[in-house]
Amino acid sequence: MELGTIIVIGLIIFVILVIISRIKIVPQAQVYIVERLGAFYAQWTTGVHFLIPFLDKISKKVSIKEQVIDFQPWQVITKDNVSMQIDTVVFFQVTDAKQYSYGVERPMAAMENLTATTLRNIIGSMVLDETLTSRDSINEQITTILDEATDRWGIKVIRVELKNILPPREIQESMEKQMKAERDSREKILLAEGEKKSKILVAEGEKESQILRAQAAKETEILKAEAEKEAMLLRAEAVKEKKRLESEGDAEAIINVQNAKAQALERLNQANPTEGVLKYKAIEMFPSVADGKATKIIIPSELQGIAGLAAGVTEAVKEKNISGTDK
């Protein structure tokens, strides 16, 4: 093979290799900054691109994914002159690859210094206790300031977090003693409140017990009075019923006596009694008539003769008895 042919083949292979080497594939979530003859030419996104040999070059490959930077702890001083160390974490994302490449030299170092100065300014306006209790507020302030400052660098600061706040050892010991004292105080307060509530509950229980006992005694007295009242009513009903039965018995007896007398008179009338019998019956009525409370007794004239006869017979019997006694 001739030398000229070999040179031609070599040149063709070289050109092919150069062309292949100038084909660039941009991966996902990255942007390539391309310069032509030393000046910005284009920013390539995901896909296949071709660099013109000897004219174009890729000056920077920029990731547009969200990134996290953990900066080293910084020494800061609070408003009440307490020195402490604060460790921060910054979450950011590149939104403009061109500004990120040409806006600032060493963007991460610039962001770190900006974060440190901003944090010192914020902490310097706060006392120690406020610093320890206002972490969310500090995070929001730093995020806002950094986002505004880095916007011209093509960077979007998403959020900033204070990872650690480390006050001096003596301050930590003092805070631990204070927290222990507060815990002891809260414990004593809780114990006192518990004892107070216990006494209140006992007193309320005793009060309710006394009220229940009084109510029970009252109900017992009421039930006892009602029982006595019912007993009296029953006794009164019994006495009333007894009197009613006695009255009914007396009335029935009188009616029976009257009926018997009426029947006797009816039988006597049916027997057609003689005048002597009638007079005899009249004499039989004298004891019942004389047994009353009347002071005067009117004797019919028809019976006066019989009465005189009876009196004479009585006197004769008395004289005979006297004479027999004298002998």
Side-chain angles (χ1 to χ4, degrees), residues 27 101 107 115 134-135 145 178 203 207 246 264 280 321:
S101 300
T115 304
S134 304
R135 180 171 297 192
I145 295 172
Q178 182 179 359
K207 178 182 177 181
E246 290 178 352
Y280 177 74
N321 291 333

Side-chain angles (χ1 to χ4, degrees), residues 31-82:
V31 175
Y32 287 1
I33 301 299
V34 179
E35 295 179 352
R36 177 169 292 177
L37 298 175
F40 173 77
Y41 170 67
Q43 51 183 356
W44 290 347
T45 57
T46 304
V48 179
H49 302 273
F50 181 76
L51 287 173
I52 298 176
F54 309 110
L55 296 180
D56 298 339
K57 73 171 183 177
I58 298 174
S59 65
K60 197 175 189 64
K61 297 179 181 179
V62 180
S63 174
I64 59 175
K65 294 186 293 184
E66 182 175 341
Q67 301 179 50
V68 180
I69 299 180
D70 186 1
F71 295 128
Q72 63 180 0
W74 293 304
Q75 195 79 18
V76 296
I77 300 175
T78 62
K79 186 177 181 179
D80 50 352
N81 295 322
V82 177

Side-chain angles (χ1 to χ4, degrees), residues 91-297:
F91 298 82
F92 71 96
Q93 184 178 17
V94 176
T95 57
D96 191 329
K98 179 181 177 181
Q99 291 182 347
Y100 179 76
S101 300
Y102 299 102
V104 64
E105 186 71 22
R106 300 171 58 198
M108 294 299 99
M111 185 182 297
E112 181 178 3
N113 292 325
L114 180 61
T115 304
T117 55
T118 303
L119 182 62
R120 289 191 177 99
N121 291 333
I122 294 174
I123 299 301
S125 63
M126 304 172 68
V127 296
L128 176 62
D129 293 340
E130 187 179 1
T131 302
L132 298 175
T133 58
S134 304
R135 180 171 297 192
D136 292 339
S137 176
I138 297 172
N139 293 338
E140 292 179 0
Q141 293 182 54
I142 296 177
T143 301
T144 302
I145 295 172
L146 288 182
D147 186 40
E148 293 178 356
T150 58
D151 186 61
R152 63 180 181 273
W153 301 341
I155 298 175
K156 171 67 177 177
V157 176
I158 299 172
R159 62 186 180 276
V160 178
E161 296 288 343
L162 301 184
K163 188 169 68 173
N164 290 315
I165 299 178
L166 301 175
R169 184 59 188 171
E170 58 273 12
I171 299 296
Q172 294 183 21
E173 293 177 354
S174 176
M175 292 172 60
E176 290 176 358
K177 292 180 181 179
Q178 182 179 359
M179 287 187 294
K180 183 179 179 181
E182 290 178 355
R183 285 196 298 268
D184 293 341
S185 177
R186 286 195 297 268
E187 181 181 2
K188 291 180 181 179
I189 292 173
L190 291 175
L191 291 175
E193 290 179 351
E195 185 176 358
K196 177 182 177 182
K197 290 181 180 179
S198 176
K199 290 181 179 180
I200 291 174
L201 291 175
V202 170
E204 290 180 351
E206 182 64 24
K207 178 182 177 181
E208 292 179 359
S209 177
Q210 292 179 358
I211 293 173
L212 291 175
R213 286 197 294 268
Q215 290 178 350
K218 179 180 178 181
E219 291 177 358
T220 301
E221 293 295 331
I222 292 173
L223 292 175
K224 183 177 179 181
E226 290 179 351
E228 292 178 355
K229 179 181 178 181
E230 291 180 359
M232 293 175 64
L233 291 175
L234 291 175
R235 286 196 294 269
E237 291 290 338
V239 172
K240 181 179 178 181
E241 185 66 17
K242 180 180 178 182
K243 290 182 178 180
R244 185 182 67 79
L245 293 176
E246 290 178 352
S247 299
E248 290 179 355
D250 294 342
E252 187 175 356
I254 292 172
I255 292 172
N256 291 333
V257 171
Q258 296 297 329
N259 289 334
K261 290 181 179 180
Q263 290 176 2
L265 291 175
E266 185 177 358
R267 293 193 187 97
L268 183 62
N269 187 27
Q270 291 177 357
N272 294 320
T274 61
E275 184 178 357
V277 174
L278 294 175
K279 290 180 179 180
Y280 177 74
K281 290 292 185 181
I283 292 172
E284 286 182 348
M285 293 298 294
F286 278 151
S288 60
V289 173
D291 194 25
K293 295 182 181 181
T295 56
K296 295 181 180 181
I297 299 175

